Amino acid sequence: MTKKLPVMEVPLEDGKHALRRIKRDGILDPDREVTPIGGKLLIPVTKGGNGYSDKLPIKNRVPSPYENIVAHVDIPKKLIPLLPTRWERIGKVLLLKLAPELLPYKGIIGRCYAKNIGMDTVALQGDILGRTRKPEIEIIYGTETETVHLENDVEFKLDVAKIMFSSGNIDERIRMSKVDTDGEIVIDMFAGIGYFSLPMAVHGTPERIYSLEINPVAHGYLQENCRINNVENVVKPVLGDNRDFSCEEPADRVVMGYLHDTWKYLYKAFEFLNDEGIIHYHTLVKEGEIEVGLREQLADCGIDDFSILKLKNIKSYAPHVYHVVADVKIG
Ligand SMILES: C[S@@+](CC[C@H](N)C(=O)[O-])C[C@H]1O[C@@H](n2cnc3c(N)ncnc32)[C@H](O)[C@@H]1O
């Protein structure tokens, strides 16, 4: 016989309001169905409520990967609340951060996450270092760190032990895939493995994209990604410091997907554009002075004939510091 469990019984007409309140209070029981019975709505709750019922159908719910992990991981019970509820998936590699108390069990945890999320490799995520943005990771399960990440119909092949991939920038990668680049010459000054060049080439119709990258490993993946995504006729990967590159044709658009002193490279973007065009300028600015800070950076570089077409907050970077991107029209 089914056990009588707590419910909140309300008149049908009050149901919507009551359900919203119960959800907000976090006491809705996810395992039973909300059910109307005889002019009343019975809402399953985990605590509180104004009665008990055994009439609510049990949901045929597939447990989430996290619920499976919690149910199966073989670590002391008191540590279970410390298990990460969020992670980054890059292709078949899972990146996690673990509380220090969990580190003695990292092998067990890695295996459990890999099994329940369906990953080949699990690694602990550390800092991202230096100008080439090299990630620090520690593998806790599996061996393979080279993987192919599929996003927005674009395949990004990379080695997560050598190259960063910021899942947090997904909206910006998608936005760049929708920018109208028809017939344009584009220069992607900090191309990496093709974070922006590939979505633009796969989804848009630019004439050419020069993708400049200083790190030979990232450049190698960029070349391979152009082949995989079939955009070799559009994207031209160039290895080297973007400040040493001279383009044989003026650009219509420059992408500056880099943080840390991006303003130091503005003069070069300006040179590529030949006084006219659009710069997608990524930078760090302080909270409360985003637009002022940005205008100052541009003015300090001697750029005065510009307008900001769009200003977008990408993510919080540090306390009171934001990663923003501005679409700046020059000329
Ligand atoms: C990793 S990306 C930044 C993140 C990326 N925009 C995203 O959406 O995730 C920055 C790239 O710029 C490259 N880079 C840094 N300085 C450079 C320079 N002077 N010339 C060319 N590439 C450079 C780095 O090697 C790195 O691959």
Coordinates of all heavy atoms in Angstrom, one line a residue, residues 56-121:
L56 N -1.8 10.7 -4.9 CA -1.0 11.4 -6.0 C -0.1 10.4 -6.8 O 0.7 9.7 -6.1 CB -0.2 12.5 -5.5 CG -0.8 13.6 -4.6 CD1 0.0 14.8 -4.4 CD2 -2.2 14.0 -5.1
P57 N -0.3 10.4 -8.1 CA 0.6 9.4 -8.9 C 2.1 9.7 -8.7 O 2.5 10.9 -8.7 CB 0.2 9.6 -10.3 CG -1.1 10.4 -10.3 CD -1.1 11.1 -9.0
I58 N 2.9 8.7 -8.6 CA 4.3 8.8 -8.5 C 4.9 9.1 -9.9 O 4.5 8.4 -10.8 CB 5.0 7.6 -7.9 CG1 4.4 7.2 -6.6 CG2 6.5 7.7 -7.8 CD1 4.6 8.1 -5.4
K59 N 5.8 10.1 -10.0 CA 6.3 10.4 -11.3 C 7.3 9.4 -11.7 O 8.1 8.9 -10.9 CB 7.0 11.8 -11.3 CG 6.1 13.0 -11.4 CD 6.9 14.2 -11.6 CE 6.0 15.4 -11.4 NZ 6.8 16.6 -11.2
N60 N 7.3 9.1 -13.0 CA 8.3 8.2 -13.6 C 9.5 9.1 -14.0 O 9.8 9.3 -15.1 CB 7.7 7.5 -14.8 CG 8.4 6.2 -15.0 OD1 9.3 5.8 -14.2 ND2 7.9 5.4 -15.9
R61 N 10.2 9.6 -13.0 CA 11.2 10.6 -13.2 C 12.6 10.0 -13.4 O 13.0 9.1 -12.5 CB 11.2 11.6 -12.1 CG 11.8 12.9 -12.4 CD 11.5 13.9 -11.3 NE 12.1 13.5 -10.0 CZ 13.3 13.8 -9.6 NH1 14.1 14.4 -10.4 NH2 13.8 13.4 -8.4
V62 N 13.3 10.4 -14.4 CA 14.7 9.9 -14.6 C 15.6 10.7 -13.7 O 15.6 11.9 -13.8 CB 15.2 10.0 -16.0 CG1 16.6 9.5 -16.2 CG2 14.2 9.3 -17.0
P63 N 16.3 10.1 -12.7 CA 17.2 10.9 -11.8 C 18.2 11.7 -12.6 O 18.7 11.2 -13.7 CB 17.8 9.9 -10.9 CG 17.3 8.6 -11.3 CD 16.5 8.7 -12.5
S64 N 18.6 12.9 -12.2 CA 19.6 13.7 -12.9 C 21.0 13.0 -12.6 O 21.1 12.2 -11.7 CB 19.6 15.1 -12.3 OG 20.1 15.0 -11.0
P65 N 22.0 13.3 -13.5 CA 23.3 12.8 -13.2 C 23.8 13.1 -11.8 O 24.3 12.2 -11.1 CB 24.2 13.5 -14.2 CG 23.2 13.9 -15.3 CD 21.9 14.2 -14.7
Y66 N 23.5 14.3 -11.3 CA 23.9 14.6 -10.0 C 23.3 13.7 -8.9 O 24.0 13.3 -8.0 CB 23.6 16.1 -9.7 CG 24.1 16.5 -8.3 CD1 25.4 16.7 -8.0 CD2 23.1 16.7 -7.3 CE1 25.8 17.0 -6.7 CE2 23.5 17.1 -6.0 CZ 24.9 17.2 -5.7 OH 25.3 17.6 -4.5
E67 N 22.0 13.5 -9.1 CA 21.3 12.6 -8.1 C 21.9 11.2 -8.1 O 22.1 10.6 -7.1 CB 19.8 12.5 -8.4 CG 19.1 13.8 -8.0 CD 17.6 13.9 -8.6 OE1 17.4 13.4 -9.7 OE2 16.8 14.4 -7.9
N68 N 22.3 10.7 -9.3 CA 22.9 9.4 -9.5 C 24.3 9.4 -8.8 O 24.7 8.5 -8.1 CB 23.1 9.0 -10.9 CG 21.8 8.4 -11.5 OD1 21.0 7.8 -10.7 ND2 21.6 8.6 -12.8
I69 N 25.0 10.5 -9.0 CA 26.4 10.6 -8.4 C 26.2 10.6 -6.8 O 26.9 9.8 -6.2 CB 27.0 12.0 -8.8 CG1 27.4 11.9 -10.3 CG2 28.3 12.3 -7.9 CD1 27.7 13.2 -10.9
V70 N 25.3 11.4 -6.3 CA 25.1 11.4 -4.8 C 24.7 10.0 -4.3 O 25.2 9.5 -3.3 CB 24.0 12.4 -4.5 CG1 23.6 12.3 -3.1 CG2 24.6 13.8 -4.7
A71 N 23.9 9.3 -5.1 CA 23.4 8.0 -4.7 C 24.5 6.9 -4.7 O 24.5 5.9 -4.0 CB 22.3 7.5 -5.6
H72 N 25.5 7.1 -5.6 CA 26.5 6.0 -5.8 C 27.9 6.3 -5.4 O 28.7 5.4 -5.2 CB 26.5 5.6 -7.3 CG 25.3 5.0 -7.8 ND1 24.4 5.6 -8.7 CD2 24.6 3.9 -7.4 CE1 23.3 4.9 -8.9 NE2 23.4 3.8 -8.1
V73 N 28.3 7.6 -5.1 CA 29.7 7.9 -4.8 C 30.1 7.3 -3.5 O 29.3 7.4 -2.5 CB 29.9 9.4 -4.9 CG1 29.3 10.1 -3.8 CG2 31.4 9.7 -5.0
D74 N 31.3 6.7 -3.5 CA 31.7 6.0 -2.3 C 32.7 6.9 -1.5 O 33.9 6.6 -1.5 CB 32.4 4.7 -2.7 CG 32.7 3.8 -1.6 OD1 32.1 4.0 -0.5 OD2 33.4 2.8 -1.8
I75 N 32.1 7.9 -0.8 CA 32.9 8.7 0.0 C 32.1 8.9 1.3 O 30.9 8.7 1.4 CB 33.2 10.1 -0.6 CG1 31.9 10.9 -0.9 CG2 33.9 10.0 -1.9 CD1 32.1 12.3 -1.3
P76 N 32.8 9.4 2.4 CA 32.1 9.6 3.7 C 30.9 10.5 3.5 O 30.9 11.5 2.8 CB 33.1 10.3 4.6 CG 34.4 9.9 4.0 CD 34.2 9.7 2.5
K77 N 29.8 10.1 4.1 CA 28.5 10.8 3.9 C 28.6 12.3 4.2 O 27.9 13.1 3.5 CB 27.4 10.2 4.9 CG 26.7 9.0 4.3 CD 25.3 9.0 4.8 CE 24.4 8.1 3.9 NZ 25.0 6.9 3.5
K78 N 29.4 12.7 5.2 CA 29.4 14.1 5.6 C 30.0 15.0 4.5 O 29.9 16.2 4.5 CB 30.2 14.3 6.9 CG 31.6 13.9 6.9 CD 32.3 14.3 8.2 CE 33.7 14.2 8.0 NZ 34.7 13.5 8.5
L79 N 30.7 14.3 3.5 CA 31.4 15.1 2.5 C 30.5 15.3 1.3 O 30.7 16.1 0.4 CB 32.7 14.4 2.0 CG 33.8 14.3 3.1 CD1 35.0 13.6 2.5 CD2 34.2 15.7 3.5
I80 N 29.4 14.6 1.2 CA 28.5 14.6 0.1 C 28.0 16.0 -0.3 O 28.0 16.4 -1.4 CB 27.4 13.5 0.2 CG1 28.0 12.2 -0.1 CG2 26.2 13.8 -0.8 CD1 27.2 11.0 -0.2
P81 N 27.6 16.8 0.7 CA 27.1 18.2 0.4 C 28.2 19.0 -0.3 O 27.9 20.0 -0.9 CB 26.8 18.8 1.8 CG 26.5 17.6 2.7 CD 27.4 16.5 2.2
L82 N 29.5 18.6 -0.2 CA 30.6 19.4 -0.8 C 30.8 19.1 -2.3 O 31.5 19.7 -3.0 CB 31.9 19.2 -0.1 CG 31.9 19.6 1.4 CD1 33.3 19.3 2.0 CD2 31.6 21.1 1.5
L83 N 30.1 18.0 -2.7 CA 30.3 17.6 -4.1 C 29.9 18.7 -5.1 O 28.8 19.3 -4.9 CB 29.5 16.3 -4.5 CG 30.0 15.0 -3.9 CD1 29.0 13.9 -4.1 CD2 31.3 14.6 -4.6
P84 N 30.6 18.9 -6.2 CA 30.2 20.0 -7.1 C 28.9 19.7 -7.8 O 28.7 18.6 -8.3 CB 31.4 20.1 -8.1 CG 32.2 18.9 -7.9 CD 31.9 18.3 -6.5
T85 N 28.0 20.7 -7.9 CA 26.8 20.6 -8.6 C 26.9 21.1 -10.0 O 26.0 21.0 -10.8 CB 25.6 21.3 -7.8 OG1 26.1 22.6 -7.6 CG2 25.3 20.6 -6.5
R86 N 28.0 21.9 -10.2 CA 28.2 22.4 -11.5 C 29.5 22.0 -12.1 O 30.5 21.7 -11.3 CB 28.3 24.0 -11.4 CG 27.0 24.6 -11.0 CD 27.3 25.9 -10.3 NE 27.8 26.8 -11.3 CZ 27.2 27.9 -11.7 NH1 26.0 28.2 -11.3 NH2 27.8 28.7 -12.6
W87 N 29.6 21.9 -13.4 CA 30.9 21.5 -14.1 C 30.9 22.0 -15.5 O 29.9 22.5 -15.9 CB 31.0 19.9 -14.1 CG 29.7 19.3 -14.5 CD1 29.2 19.2 -15.7 CD2 28.7 18.7 -13.6 NE1 28.0 18.5 -15.7 CE2 27.7 18.2 -14.4 CE3 28.6 18.5 -12.2 CZ2 26.5 17.6 -13.9 CZ3 27.5 17.8 -11.7 CH2 26.5 17.4 -12.6
E88 N 32.0 21.9 -16.1 CA 32.1 22.3 -17.5 C 32.4 21.1 -18.3 O 33.3 20.3 -18.0 CB 33.3 23.2 -17.7 CG 33.0 24.7 -17.7 CD 34.1 25.6 -18.1 OE1 34.2 25.8 -19.3 OE2 34.8 26.0 -17.2
R89 N 31.6 20.9 -19.4 CA 31.8 19.8 -20.3 C 32.4 20.3 -21.6 O 31.8 21.2 -22.3 CB 30.5 19.2 -20.7 CG 29.7 18.6 -19.6 CD 28.3 18.3 -20.0 NE 28.2 17.2 -21.0 CZ 27.3 16.3 -21.0 NH1 26.3 16.4 -20.1 NH2 27.3 15.3 -21.8
I90 N 33.6 19.9 -22.0 CA 34.2 20.3 -23.2 C 34.4 19.0 -24.0 O 35.3 18.2 -23.6 CB 35.5 21.0 -23.0 CG1 35.3 22.2 -22.1 CG2 36.2 21.4 -24.3 CD1 36.5 23.0 -21.7
G91 N 33.6 18.7 -25.0 CA 33.6 17.4 -25.7 C 33.4 16.3 -24.7 O 32.4 16.3 -23.9
K92 N 34.3 15.4 -24.6 CA 34.2 14.2 -23.7 C 35.1 14.4 -22.5 O 35.4 13.5 -21.7 CB 34.6 12.9 -24.4 CG 33.8 12.6 -25.6 CD 32.3 12.2 -25.2 CE 32.2 10.8 -24.8 NZ 30.8 10.4 -24.4
V93 N 35.5 15.7 -22.2 CA 36.2 16.0 -21.0 C 35.4 16.8 -20.1 O 34.8 17.8 -20.5 CB 37.5 16.8 -21.3 CG1 38.4 17.0 -20.1 CG2 38.4 16.0 -22.4
L94 N 35.4 16.4 -18.8 CA 34.7 17.1 -17.8 C 35.6 17.9 -16.9 O 36.6 17.3 -16.4 CB 33.9 16.1 -16.9 CG 32.8 16.7 -16.0 CD1 31.6 17.1 -16.8 CD2 32.5 15.7 -14.9
L95 N 35.4 19.2 -16.7 CA 36.2 20.0 -15.8 C 35.5 20.3 -14.5 O 34.3 20.8 -14.6 CB 36.7 21.2 -16.5 CG 37.6 21.0 -17.7 CD1 37.8 22.4 -18.4 CD2 38.9 20.3 -17.4
L96 N 36.1 20.1 -13.4 CA 35.5 20.2 -12.1 C 36.4 21.1 -11.1 O 37.6 21.1 -11.4 CB 35.4 18.9 -11.4 CG 34.5 17.8 -11.8 CD1 34.7 16.6 -10.9 CD2 33.1 18.3 -11.6
K97 N 35.7 21.6 -10.1 CA 36.5 22.2 -9.0 C 36.1 21.4 -7.8 O 34.9 21.2 -7.5 CB 36.2 23.7 -8.9 CG 36.8 24.5 -10.0 CD 36.8 26.0 -9.7 CE 37.6 26.6 -10.8 NZ 37.1 27.9 -11.3
L98 N 37.1 21.0 -7.0 CA 36.8 20.2 -5.8 C 37.2 21.0 -4.5 O 38.3 21.6 -4.5 CB 37.5 18.9 -5.8 CG 37.0 17.8 -6.7 CD1 37.8 16.5 -6.5 CD2 35.5 17.5 -6.6
A99 N 36.4 20.9 -3.5 CA 36.7 21.5 -2.2 C 37.9 20.7 -1.6 O 38.0 19.5 -1.9 CB 35.5 21.4 -1.2
P100 N 38.8 21.4 -0.9 CA 40.0 20.6 -0.4 C 39.7 19.3 0.4 O 40.4 18.3 0.2 CB 40.7 21.7 0.6 CG 40.1 23.0 0.2 CD 38.8 22.8 -0.5
E101 N 38.6 19.3 1.1 CA 38.2 18.1 1.9 C 37.9 16.9 0.9 O 38.0 15.8 1.4 CB 36.9 18.4 2.7 CG 37.0 19.4 3.7 CD 36.7 20.8 3.2 OE1 37.0 21.2 2.0 OE2 36.1 21.6 4.0
L102 N 37.6 17.2 -0.3 CA 37.3 16.1 -1.2 C 38.5 15.5 -2.0 O 38.5 14.5 -2.6 CB 36.3 16.6 -2.3 CG 34.9 16.9 -1.8 CD1 34.0 17.5 -2.9 CD2 34.1 15.7 -1.3
L103 N 39.6 16.3 -1.9 CA 40.8 15.9 -2.7 C 41.3 14.5 -2.4 O 41.7 13.8 -3.3 CB 41.9 16.9 -2.5 CG 41.6 18.3 -3.2 CD1 42.7 19.3 -3.0 CD2 41.3 18.1 -4.7
P104 N 41.3 14.0 -1.1 CA 41.7 12.6 -0.9 C 40.9 11.6 -1.7 O 41.3 10.4 -1.8 CB 41.6 12.4 0.6 CG 41.5 13.8 1.2 CD 41.0 14.7 0.1
Y105 N 39.7 12.0 -2.1 CA 38.8 11.0 -2.8 C 38.7 11.4 -4.3 O 37.8 10.9 -4.9 CB 37.4 11.1 -2.1 CG 37.5 10.8 -0.6 CD1 37.5 11.8 0.3 CD2 37.5 9.5 -0.2 CE1 37.6 11.6 1.6 CE2 37.6 9.2 1.2 CZ 37.7 10.3 2.1 OH 37.8 10.1 3.4
K106 N 39.6 12.1 -4.8 CA 39.5 12.7 -6.2 C 39.3 11.6 -7.2 O 38.6 11.7 -8.2 CB 40.6 13.7 -6.5 CG 42.0 13.1 -6.5 CD 43.0 14.2 -6.7 CE 44.4 13.6 -6.6 NZ 45.4 14.6 -6.5
G107 N 40.1 10.4 -7.0 CA 40.0 9.3 -8.0 C 38.6 8.7 -8.0 O 38.0 8.5 -9.1
I108 N 38.0 8.5 -6.8 CA 36.7 7.9 -6.7 C 35.7 8.9 -7.3 O 34.8 8.5 -8.1 CB 36.3 7.7 -5.2 CG1 37.3 6.6 -4.6 CG2 34.9 7.3 -5.1 CD1 37.1 6.5 -3.1
I109 N 35.8 10.1 -7.0 CA 34.9 11.2 -7.5 C 35.0 11.3 -9.0 O 33.9 11.3 -9.7 CB 35.1 12.5 -6.8 CG1 34.8 12.4 -5.3 CG2 34.3 13.6 -7.4 CD1 35.2 13.6 -4.4
G110 N 36.2 11.3 -9.5 CA 36.4 11.4 -11.0 C 35.7 10.3 -11.7 O 35.0 10.5 -12.7
R111 N 35.9 9.1 -11.2 CA 35.3 7.9 -11.9 C 33.8 8.0 -11.8 O 33.1 7.7 -12.8 CB 35.8 6.6 -11.2 CG 35.3 5.4 -11.9 CD 35.9 4.0 -11.5 NE 37.0 4.1 -10.5 CZ 36.9 3.9 -9.2 NH1 35.8 3.5 -8.8 NH2 37.9 3.9 -8.4
C112 N 33.2 8.4 -10.7 CA 31.8 8.4 -10.5 C 31.2 9.5 -11.4 O 30.1 9.3 -12.1 CB 31.5 8.7 -9.0 SG 29.8 8.5 -8.6
Y113 N 31.8 10.7 -11.5 CA 31.3 11.7 -12.4 C 31.4 11.3 -13.9 O 30.4 11.5 -14.7 CB 32.0 13.0 -12.2 CG 31.5 13.9 -11.1 CD1 31.6 13.5 -9.8 CD2 30.8 15.1 -11.3 CE1 31.1 14.3 -8.7 CE2 30.3 15.8 -10.3 CZ 30.4 15.4 -9.0 OH 29.9 16.2 -8.0
A114 N 32.5 10.6 -14.2 CA 32.7 10.2 -15.6 C 31.6 9.2 -16.0 O 31.0 9.3 -17.1 CB 34.1 9.6 -15.8
K115 N 31.3 8.3 -15.1 CA 30.4 7.2 -15.4 C 28.9 7.8 -15.5 O 28.2 7.4 -16.4 CB 30.4 6.2 -14.2 CG 30.5 4.8 -14.7 CD 30.6 3.8 -13.6 CE 29.4 3.0 -13.5 NZ 29.1 2.3 -12.3
N116 N 28.6 8.7 -14.6 CA 27.2 9.1 -14.6 C 26.9 10.3 -15.6 O 25.8 10.5 -15.9 CB 26.8 9.6 -13.2 CG 26.6 8.4 -12.3 OD1 25.7 7.6 -12.4 ND2 27.6 8.1 -11.4
I117 N 28.0 11.0 -16.0 CA 27.7 12.1 -17.0 C 28.1 11.6 -18.4 O 27.7 12.2 -19.4 CB 28.5 13.3 -16.5 CG1 28.0 13.8 -15.1 CG2 28.2 14.5 -17.5 CD1 28.7 14.9 -14.5
G118 N 28.8 10.5 -18.5 CA 29.1 9.9 -19.8 C 30.4 10.6 -20.4 O 30.3 11.0 -21.5
M119 N 31.4 10.7 -19.6 CA 32.6 11.4 -20.0 C 33.8 10.4 -20.1 O 33.8 9.4 -19.4 CB 33.0 12.5 -19.0 CG 32.0 13.7 -19.0 SD 32.2 14.7 -20.4 CE 30.6 14.7 -21.1
D120 N 34.8 10.7 -21.0 CA 36.0 9.9 -21.0 C 37.0 10.3 -20.0 O 37.8 9.5 -19.5 CB 36.6 10.0 -22.4 CG 35.8 9.4 -23.5 OD1 34.9 8.6 -23.2 OD2 36.0 9.7 -24.7
T121 N 37.1 11.6 -19.7 CA 38.1 12.1 -18.9 C 37.5 13.1 -17.9 O 36.6 13.9 -18.3 CB 39.2 12.8 -19.7 OG1 39.6 11.9 -20.8 CG2 40.4 13.3 -18.9

